[in-house]
Amino acid sequence: MRLTFVSSLIPSVFSSKHRCASTTKNPFTNRSTFTRVTAKHFSFSVNSHLFSLSQPNLPSTCILIALATLVGLLVSTVIAKTDFIPIKRALDYSAAQRAFINQWIKLAVLFSIILPFLLLTIFWSTYQIQSLLGCYFIVLIIQLIAEPFASKRLCESSVAFVGFNFTSIRIWLLYYGLEGLKMNGLHRSLGYLGIQVVLVYWICNLIVLCSVVFPAITRKNEIKS
């Protein structure tokens, strides 16, 4: 009877050891270990389909894109249809502001399009960087579609609100993306450094929006107390 109990116990012990080895061999391919690891960290694994602000992936990025577009268009519609918000319909830059914006747009082409595209091309074989920059360009393409639409159909100043929303998404995406690259041991690569440069640019872009663009469309003299 003791022999029967021991013989029945051996397969269960072996199977438990086998399950343990399979989970530790590649934690991001096992559902239970994946849930436990990504509860604290970030991963680009395609096994994750849940929305999480601390875990950027394609579903969460698409949801935030939809929300940013919706909020931007709603605010723009309020501006275009009513006078509830004291905002100018056109981008009323001064000569100095316009000269600065023209130079800033040139920097935007360099740091928001050319540099990320080069990084994506060079590090295409690195899945984590490929996934991060893939989501980055999805956000960029949708913004390039949404801004002209809002400007032509609603009012020119609406691009400030749309741009603010999309810039915020991009900062979130790049920040947590860098955390994911660090977790995967890629924090010493040139790709990591390049993405850091892109993140710094977009933080500066958010500052420009708040300090130059929004003051240019605000009718300060007409704000009602």
Side-chain angles (χ1 to χ4, degrees), residues 124-149:
W124 180 260
S125 59
T126 305
Y127 174 72
Q128 292 85 353
I129 296 179
Q130 179 197 122
S131 300
L132 172 59
L133 293 178
C135 291
Y136 171 88
F137 277 108
I138 289 175
V139 176
L140 185 63
I141 291 172
I142 299 298
Q143 180 181 358
L144 293 177
I145 296 173
E147 284 187 348
F149 174 83

Side-chain angles (χ1 to χ4, degrees), residues 90-201:
L91 296 171
D92 189 16
Y93 295 124
S94 64
Q97 288 175 330
R98 191 169 297 277
F100 174 80
I101 291 297
N102 290 335
Q103 296 300 319
W104 189 254
I105 291 176
K106 295 178 182 179
L107 291 178
V109 174
L110 175 62
F111 289 106
S112 69
I113 299 177
I114 297 178
L115 178 58
F117 181 77
L118 289 177
L119 293 173
L120 181 62
T121 303
I122 295 171
F123 296 96
W124 180 260
S125 59
T126 305
Y127 174 72
Q128 292 85 353
I129 296 179
Q130 179 197 122
S131 300
L132 172 59
L133 293 178
C135 291
Y136 171 88
F137 277 108
I138 289 175
V139 176
L140 185 63
I141 291 172
I142 299 298
Q143 180 181 358
L144 293 177
I145 296 173
E147 284 187 348
F149 174 83
S151 178
K152 293 179 180 180
R153 296 299 181 91
L154 299 173
C155 61
E156 185 183 5
S157 60
S158 62
V159 297
F161 299 96
V162 177
F164 180 87
N165 292 334
F166 277 94
T167 299
S168 302
I169 290 179
R170 235 178 325 263
I171 292 174
W172 160 80
L173 179 67
L174 293 174
Y175 174 79
Y176 282 106
L178 288 171
E179 291 295 313
L181 295 180
K182 185 186 298 184
M183 189 196 73
N184 285 277
L186 298 172
H187 57 284
R188 295 183 178 179
S189 67
L190 290 177
Y192 184 88
L193 178 61
I195 295 173
Q196 279 185 318
V197 174
V198 177
L199 175 60
V200 169
Y201 167 79

Side-chain angles (χ1 to χ4, degrees), residues 9-63:
L9 185 63
I10 290 176
S12 62
V13 172
F14 176 80
S15 61
S16 64
K17 289 183 178 179
H18 179 71
R19 285 195 301 270
C20 181
S22 64
T23 56
T24 56
K25 183 178 181 181
N26 191 354
F28 293 102
T29 58
N30 182 271
R31 185 177 300 274
S32 61
T33 309
F34 176 80
T35 304
R36 188 164 59 253
V37 171
T38 54
K40 296 182 179 179
H41 299 289
F42 168 91
S43 174
F44 289 97
S45 176
V46 294
N47 289 337
S48 175
H49 296 287
L50 298 178
F51 176 79
S52 175
L53 285 176
S54 61
Q55 184 181 323
N57 49 28
L58 185 58
S60 59
T61 302
C62 291
I63 290 174

